[in-house]
Amino acid sequence: MNKAIVIFLLLIPALTFAQSNENVFGKKKPLLDIDVTKTGPYFGLQRGKYTVVEIGIERQWKQIRLKNPYTHAVHMGFNYNFKYNVLGYDVGYWYKSNRLGLTYGGNLFMRTNFDDTRIGIAPVIGYKIWLIHFQTGYHFMPRLPENFETNRFFVSLRIGIINDRDVDFEWRKKKKKT
């Protein structure tokens, strides 16, 4: 079961890129194609039943268009609950379908209190504008032992700092009519 979930989450980016910018069903490609790749660290605070500090790195692929721009992103990081000594690692993906739309994604996570370890998935929905990304979700994990203080429902506020940006331009050539 866990292997199937991991394989599915790893294939999400490939499935969403599968139909991107194809000339299918008579759709015209834009005259100018602009792709931006951004990478940088994020710092965040996760709140639920417990307060957790988050640090990680995120990479975003953004297609700049006048109509329906979209963004894909992957991230990985760790979080720590200082009060109850619970460490966590997250790997995730999210997708934003337009400028003002919501972000949809999921995380694979691992949590440990250094006696017990739990692995699970967390579907998330959020809103991202400029550097700030607000998300909410639920951690699905096996039955927790006593004294395993980790969030099930959570909200997360992250601030991403872009320190590497790559912009690619591609001009579409006009076909000559014969």
Side-chain angles (χ1 to χ4, degrees):
M1 176 66 179
N2 287 341
K3 289 180 185 178
I5 292 170
V6 170
I7 290 171
F8 175 74
L9 289 174
L10 290 175
L11 290 177
I12 286 175
L15 296 173
T16 55
F17 275 122
Q19 296 296 322
S20 70
N21 209 12
E22 294 291 324
N23 195 359
V24 181
F25 304 117
K27 292 182 182 177
K28 287 186 176 181
K29 286 188 173 183
L31 182 60
L32 177 62
D33 223 358
I34 303 173
D35 294 319
V36 179
T37 304
K38 301 188 263 184
T39 306
Y42 67 81
F43 303 95
L45 188 66
Q46 184 185 106
R47 287 282 300 170
K49 190 173 182 182
Y50 307 100
T51 301
V52 179
V53 177
E54 300 178 323
I55 298 173
I57 188 163
E58 184 171 82
R59 183 167 189 117
Q60 300 174 14
W61 295 272
K62 188 172 189 173
Q63 176 105 43
I64 306 292
R65 299 181 187 171
L66 288 176
K67 186 177 178 184
N68 297 328
Y70 59 84
T71 305
H72 295 272
V74 293
H75 64 87
M76 60 186 288
F78 71 94
N79 51 60
Y80 189 69
N81 182 338
F82 286 97
K83 186 174 181 181
Y84 294 102
N85 196 32
V86 176
L87 175 67
Y89 296 99
D90 294 340
V91 174
Y93 166 81
W94 60 262
Y95 172 75
K96 183 176 177 182
S97 62
N98 57 40
R99 279 184 191 84
L100 300 176
L102 296 174
T103 61
Y104 306 97
N107 298 330
L108 285 173
F109 67 88
M110 188 272 304
R111 299 286 185 270
T112 183
N113 64 0
F114 302 99
D115 288 327
D116 294 305
T117 301
R118 294 294 183 258
I119 297 174
I121 62 170
V124 293
I125 187 169
Y127 188 75
K128 181 173 183 357
I129 187 163
W130 197 45
L131 299 174
I132 298 171
H133 195 180
F134 178 76
Q135 289 183 318
T136 184
Y138 184 82
H139 289 121
F140 290 100
M141 63 185 101
R143 174 178 266 173
L144 294 177
E146 286 188 35
N147 299 326
F148 199 89
E149 287 81 9
T150 188
N151 293 326
R152 290 282 192 158
F153 281 110
F154 67 92
V155 294
S156 174
L157 182 64
R158 293 180 179 166
I159 297 174
I161 300 167
I162 303 301
N163 60 8
D164 184 28
R165 183 182 316 256
D166 182 28
V167 180
D168 294 327
F169 296 96
E170 183 181 322
W171 290 93
R172 180 177 59 99
K173 295 178 182 176
K174 291 187 178 184
K175 293 181 181 179
K176 294 182 181 179
K177 294 184 179 182
T178 56

